Amino acid sequence: MSASPAPASADHLFQSYRRAIELRDRLEQQAADLYLSADDLRLAGMAKQASLTSRLAACLQGEAKLSQAVADSAADAAGRDFARRLKAERKKDIALAQADAARAKSLRTLDAGLTFDRRTAGGSREIVLGNAKGKSEARVTLASYGALIKEPKERTEPRLRAMEAFDELWHRAEAGLYPEPRFEPAVDTSAGASGVTAHRMDGLAEMQRLTAYIGRQGQALLWMRVVDRQELQAIARVAGRDPREVTAIVFAALDGVAAFYGFGRAAPEVERLDEVLGS
């Protein structure tokens, strides 16, 4: 009494069955197409060519029967109902193909002309898709300053103004040093090359004073959050810190920028130090 085939053997037999059935289907389709061609040739008065085409179609039909015999042999060897299994797998393949097509259509509709960006592709940048009623109307932009602070109670006017001031200063100080991505504000070159250089030098000097006030760490985190619009989780991964700690440092740096520009009060520690130094 023979033992039942092992699961792996049954899978191999099923793959053989599937290939044989797929070959049979292709051969039968080719034979059907050739028979149609033979009919057209016969109607066109080309009887000899029609006869040759019909014989070729008959040969393909014979090969299709051989493929069917191979499939039946594989199913008998496994003792399984491979026909039912193949039908289920084909149904699954069709469903997956339809899902992929729908997903691709959705992405084409909402691409908004967005070019590849490793930060956006990695899901680490705060972006907003607006007016997505159709492909021609969709627009991708960086998140607004307000969207960078999730909690409404933390979203104070001085911090919003501080983010705008820091963003503007960064682009003024770094004008001409880096290529401008599609999202960033363009550099004002109306003053000519010498004017841009002087403008940038003033910005660099101001950035140096601001960095001395808020600290190099605060400046780096504000660049990541405000200028590059990186998400807090992404910043935490890069910095190797807890997201809550990163958030606290970012808020402290924003408060420092607000105090530097006179938008809000300085941190209590800074006020206390000013009192000690002024006494």
Side-chain angles (χ1 to χ4, degrees):
M1 184 175 181
S2 60
S4 300
S9 299
D11 288 337
H12 288 310
L13 288 170
F14 173 74
Q15 294 304 325
S16 176
Y17 173 88
R18 181 167 187 166
R19 285 192 294 270
I21 291 297
E22 290 173 349
L23 177 59
R24 181 208 64 185
D25 292 343
R26 286 196 301 271
L27 291 171
E28 288 182 345
Q29 182 60 52
Q30 291 172 4
D33 293 339
L34 286 174
Y35 278 127
L36 291 175
S37 297
D39 291 340
D40 292 336
L41 291 171
R42 196 171 291 106
L43 290 174
M46 304 173 67
K48 186 175 182 180
Q49 290 86 343
S51 177
L52 289 173
T53 303
S54 296
R55 285 197 294 184
L56 179 57
C59 290
L60 292 179
Q61 276 190 328
E63 293 182 13
K65 291 180 180 179
L66 290 176
S67 295
Q68 179 65 61
V70 171
D72 292 340
S73 176
D76 291 341
R80 306 287 180 87
D81 186 358
F82 281 163
R84 180 178 299 178
R85 178 177 173 181
L86 179 59
K87 182 178 180 181
E89 291 206 2
R90 283 180 169 177
K91 186 177 180 180
K92 180 180 178 181
D93 291 343
I94 292 173
L96 290 174
Q98 291 175 342
D100 289 341
R103 190 179 301 110
K105 180 180 179 182
S106 176
L107 292 174
R108 287 195 301 270
T109 302
L110 301 178
D111 65 0
L114 180 63
T115 56
F116 175 78
D117 184 315
R118 61 177 178 80
R119 296 158 298 188
T120 302
S124 61
R125 214 172 186 213
E126 296 270 11
I127 62 172
V128 175
L129 181 64
N131 301 323
K133 297 178 182 177
K135 183 176 181 180
S136 61
E137 300 180 20
R139 296 292 183 273
V140 172
T141 60
L142 289 177
S144 64
Y145 298 124
L148 297 179
I149 301 179
K150 306 299 184 183
E151 293 293 332
K153 64 180 180 180
E154 302 287 355
R155 197 183 305 130
T156 62
E157 184 65 25
R159 285 176 177 171
L160 296 178
R161 294 182 63 185
M163 284 191 282
E164 183 177 6
F166 183 86
D167 199 7
E168 190 276 335
L169 174 61
W170 180 274
H171 287 90
R172 181 155 50 93
E174 303 300 324
L177 294 185
Y178 303 101
E180 298 160 28
R182 56 178 284 114
F183 287 125
E184 315 304 344
V187 176
D188 182 10
T189 59
S190 59
S194 61
V196 170
T197 301
H199 195 55
R200 186 169 71 82
M201 290 179 65
D202 290 342
L204 286 170
E206 186 176 333
M207 178 62 80
Q208 189 175 19
R209 294 192 298 271
L210 176 61
T211 302
Y213 190 82
I214 66 174
R216 184 68 182 87
Q217 178 181 240
Q219 183 219 31
L221 291 179
L222 285 185
W223 175 83
M224 298 175 79
R225 184 61 173 160
V226 177
V227 179
D228 203 43
R229 299 296 206 279
Q230 295 185 32
E231 294 181 346
L232 290 171
Q233 293 285 351
I235 298 173
R237 286 196 300 270
V238 173
R241 293 173 175 268
D242 186 276
R244 291 170 296 183
E245 183 182 1
V246 170
T247 302
I249 298 174
V250 169
F251 285 168
L254 284 177
D255 292 339
V257 174
F260 181 82
Y261 285 107
F263 301 149
R265 290 181 53 190
E269 297 83 358
V270 176
E271 290 185 339
R272 177 58 182 158
L273 179 60
D274 288 341
E275 291 177 3
V276 173
L277 293 177
S279 59

